[in-house]
Amino acid sequence: MGQTAMTSTDHTLLAEPVSPPETPDAAIAMLDAEGIVVGWTQAAQQLVGYPAGEVVGRYATHVLPPPEEATSASTFAEEHRAQAGWSGTVAIRHRDGHTLRMTLRVSLLRGQDAGTRWLVSVTDIDSLSSGATGGPVRESLLARVPIGVVVYDPRLRCVWASDAMERYDGVPWHRRFGRGLKDSLPAVEAEALEVVMRQVLESGTTRVHEYRAWPPTDRRREHAFSVWFFCLQGADGTPTGVCSMTVDVTGNRRARERLAILSEAGTRIGSTLDVMQTGQELADLAVPLLADHALVDLVESVPFGVEPSARIGTTSGRPPLMRRAGLASVDLGVLELPWAREEVVHAHPDSPFTAAVRTGRSYLEPVLNTHSGPWVDHDPVRAQKVRDSGVHSLMVVPIRARRCVLGLALFGRSREETPFQEDDLLLAEELVTRAALSLDNALQYARERTAALTLQRDLLPHRVQGGPAVEVASRYVPADMDHGVGGDWFDVIELSGARVALVVGDVVGHGIKAAATMGRLRTAVRTLADLDLPPDELLAHLDDTVRRLNDDDTDDSGQAPAVVGATCLYAVYDPVTRRCTLARAGHPPPLIIDAQGRVTIPELPAGAPLGLGLGLVPFESVELDLPEGSVLALYSDGLVESRDEDIDVGVQRLGSALALPGASLQDLCSRATENVSAQAPADDVTLLLARTRALPPAQVASWDLPDELVTVPTARRLAARQLRDWGLEPLVATVESLVGEMVSNAIRHGDGPSRLRLIQHRALTCEVSDASTGQPRPRHPGTLDEHGRGLYLVARLSRRWGSRSAADGKVVWAELDLPSTAAAP
């Protein structure tokens, strides 16, 4: 091998293997100056299928590469002779006809009388990606490490050698020719290697030998070398010589560390959808594996979910403001920074940092000069801080995604004396690229989540009021960033007769679609509530609505979309009777807390979720008596469900939080959701609390009326007298007209006796009930018609009117503003 530059002390280490030898998977061939194969190996035969007899003596273009893609051998030689070789990726035709993707390396060999040869080593790309990545041949091909090559004849005398071998043992190529191993190695070592080489000649197999030594190019540290011996065969398959390939594998350990860093980056970077957390994860990973200090700065808009507007190469003028997202150091006390994490960072317009943002290109300064040049001219304050920190080598890598620079990653060394090199920059760029993917995903998600939150908040009620029926308070906590905004909604709807409807629902799924579906369902509930339907009927109509939405969303491709389901709880409370009617569709049951703090869960049929086609059993309503001061709690499952505990535990915890007599509803909302806010919920959390009120009997007046038209004047007089008792004289004339028309309609079109009721609350409600189930319909009478104008007059005299079903018939009602309210406009 010609190790004359190595002392006997060096060679005492030959017996200590660097690592377990492995059989190389590279195919070796030797070509003459014209590109004709003059040497072949068994490994080459195994890889491409050609035996030596079919290749030796023929042009290499027969196998590598296909003739139609090849340049002439002479042209190739002239192009790459000055570089002493070539490496790259090629396609090789296997003997059976299929094509292999290969990495190829061509090394120039020199011989006596200025003769040249080419040594070709080829490795299957698939084996590189799927096999172990620590082999010296494999790493030399990938990293393009110089390979020292020596070819010996059957008598083990050197006949060809590469220039790269001199850097390993210090022996010039022209001093090797015609000499054996004993002329360059101690006799004991030469004899041992000759034994190995003769075994290679006899068996045709490949052998590996590893050793440690101090090469003449770097006497400061010990290097690790691996040597492979290949048997070269002629056309008849007989050995024509032995080829040795020597590679400095000192970087193997470092290469494995780098692969480990990249592997770890896949699990440590991007663990959340928080862009600031991702920046800190990148900094934490880089220190101390790659650098002593790492900073990650993001364009100021990125943490707020806004993509930078400027594209690479288009920015000009003032540099964008940055916000520090990541900070890591082997000693934070050494690196004193003007900006801490999450603070805004100001970069000088002419600094390398601004240039990296503008161009999108990395910046490497192996030896950092902070005493002259742009550092001092453009940013003397920062230059002084860098000098104080001891940082002597710097890399600046832009964080790029979709032609935008999202930020910068800075890496510095102070304790590690070795400066950054190009391979360090490649590793840093790979780490930053992985972080950029996570940041871009987080940015896109943040944009979608912001849109969903905005949509949901616009669709949810901004202010809820329960009128005279209930005092209400609500709390909504959106899901965390990892799970996305859900489809929770709640509403409080004032109904006729001082009643109020309370509703909480939850659409299955997350994101904008769930929020949009929630808005459609909330609108549908309000529309159905205006019809004054009982809770069970309202849910039945809502179930039909959700199923129609699913049908409408089916595309023309014939593929049914994912079924959108929802749950809902609907309750109607009447402050006159203090009765509450409830029904639910797959939603958690409500909690009722009395004035003494006792918590009960009413027996309420669960019902099937909406839109799933499971509503074979009709929804059922339950009617409860709620004493004044009772608290009715409606909530979504996100408040009580958890992966770690049963839902009953969550319901019990919610009841305990609400069992606080005398507390305000806002305080109860805070108590019930305080743990949820701290833990970042996996699902939206919605809580609606309603404390019941009761209308005093003095604010309600009612009379039973016989089924005779002569009772109409009586009804008018009764209503007028009651209004005067309430001090509402300005409404007497209007109410007399309303009562007259409504009672007349009830007698003409209803069945049995009727009933008149007046309710004074925030408005005045006039109600007339009868035993008929038919709902009144406005008519459009002709000019000469004597009837059909009653409901028209009711609509003109009241601010709103309507009808609703009752247990024993129907109720027609009309509302009027009280005098003080009516005069306000």
Side-chain angles (χ1 to χ4, degrees), residues 55 127 167 256 269 310 336 450 472 633 653 685 689 719 814:
V55 178
S127 68
R167 67 183 298 176
R256 286 190 290 270
I269 297 179
E336 295 185 3
T450 300
V472 293
R653 182 176 59 249
V685 169
L689 300 181

Side-chain angles (χ1 to χ4, degrees), residues 695-716:
L695 282 182
Q699 293 181 231
V700 181
S702 61
W703 304 271
D704 292 324
L705 304 175
D707 189 19
E708 300 174 0
L709 287 176
V710 294
T711 62
V712 173
T714 303
R716 292 162 58 95

Side-chain angles (χ1 to χ4, degrees), residues 609-625:
L610 304 171
L612 303 184
L614 303 177
L616 300 178
V617 179
F619 300 102
E620 297 182 47
S621 293
V622 171
E623 193 170 287
L624 306 172
D625 287 319

Side-chain angles (χ1 to χ4, degrees), residues 599-662:
V599 180
T600 58
I601 302 177
E603 293 291 336
L604 183 61
L610 304 171
L612 303 184
L614 303 177
L616 300 178
V617 179
F619 300 102
E620 297 182 47
S621 293
V622 171
E623 193 170 287
L624 306 172
D625 287 319
L626 291 183
E628 184 176 6
S630 300
V631 174
L632 186 64
L634 285 66
Y635 54 91
S636 64
D637 55 3
L639 183 58
V640 295
E641 274 191 338
S642 171
R643 294 181 180 179
D644 303 327
E645 60 186 16
D646 190 76
I647 189 172
D648 293 337
V649 178
V651 172
Q652 185 177 5
R653 182 176 59 249
L654 174 61
S656 299
L658 299 178
L660 189 64

Side-chain angles (χ1 to χ4, degrees), residues 559-588:
Q559 292 183 343
V563 176
V564 175
T567 64
C568 184
L569 172 62
Y570 187 81
V572 175
Y573 174 71
D574 188 343
V576 177
T577 62
R578 296 188 298 279
R579 297 188 67 80
C580 182
T581 307
L582 309 95
R584 61 181 178 133
H587 203 82

